[in-house]
Amino acid sequence: MSDRADHVHRKGAAPRPAPRYRLPEQPLFSVVYGLVLASALVAALDPAGEEADPGPDALWVVLTALAAGAAHGYAHVIARRASADGAATPSRLRLVLAEWPLLAAVLPTVGMLLAAAAGWWAEATAVDTALLFNTVALFGCGTWAARTAGHGWPSSCRAGGMDMLIGLVIVAADALIK
């Protein structure tokens, strides 16, 4: 039996409890975007055959995430301005500040690069670990989003697998380019 209708009440089946917490769509979007951004940056900032420099690489990841979050938030402001009266309001500033999950999503990658800068491990190990972490986190985000939407485990894992594919494409591209 297909699990597409897992969230529909079946005859004779006990009703499923409502999810306790449903993450709003915008923060989830920002987290996924931040994970993909961090993966792409860490893969690109670790060119093969060049001297490792994880400290500045970590700074570039943070600065790029800040720029991407600000640009995405400002795009919301522009869209709202085009559809409203055009006046700047505090709610528009909140649209920009609401992109904080994007920055939060890159922090594990930054932490791994800073650990490499401190000499705790090699930059290549930090990059590989960050790519693995971000790929697994993408799976978790996709699975969690589907579960909170009421899907069963099989379809939620398929959704997580599709999100994880983005990370795997970055890992494959990193391996092929180097």
Side-chain angles (χ1 to χ4, degrees):
M1 173 177 236
S2 172
D3 71 321
R4 288 183 187 181
D6 281 352
H7 63 283
V8 176
H9 181 68
R10 294 186 188 116
K11 279 186 173 179
R16 291 171 111 178
R20 288 187 186 168
Y21 178 73
R22 185 175 180 139
L23 185 66
E25 184 178 322
Q26 182 59 41
L28 183 62
F29 169 81
S30 294
V31 167
V32 169
Y33 188 81
L35 290 168
V36 172
L37 179 68
S39 294
L41 285 170
V42 78
L45 290 173
D46 182 38
E50 289 187 19
E51 187 176 331
D53 206 358
D57 288 353
L59 181 61
W60 274 113
V61 171
V62 169
L63 291 175
T64 304
L66 282 170
H72 191 258
Y74 189 63
H76 284 293
V77 170
I78 292 170
R80 184 162 292 175
R81 186 179 296 147
S83 66
D85 62 2
T89 64
S91 67
R92 296 205 173 122
L93 176 60
R94 279 188 231 115
L95 286 173
V96 175
L97 296 177
E99 294 298 322
W100 69 266
L102 187 152
L103 183 61
V106 304
L107 292 180
T109 298
V110 170
M112 291 174 208
L113 288 171
L114 291 176
W120 295 349
W121 55 13
E123 183 179 25
T125 304
V127 168
D128 292 345
T129 305
L131 289 172
L132 176 65
F133 176 86
N134 292 340
T135 301
V136 171
L138 284 167
F139 175 81
C141 285
T143 303
W144 183 27
R147 288 292 296 157
T148 59
H151 295 277
W153 278 107
S155 65
S156 295
C157 288
R158 281 193 300 272
M162 293 306 292
D163 284 4
M164 187 174 75
L165 274 177
I166 300 167
L168 292 175
V169 166
I170 294 170
V171 169
D174 184 46
L176 290 173
I177 291 171
K178 293 178 182 173

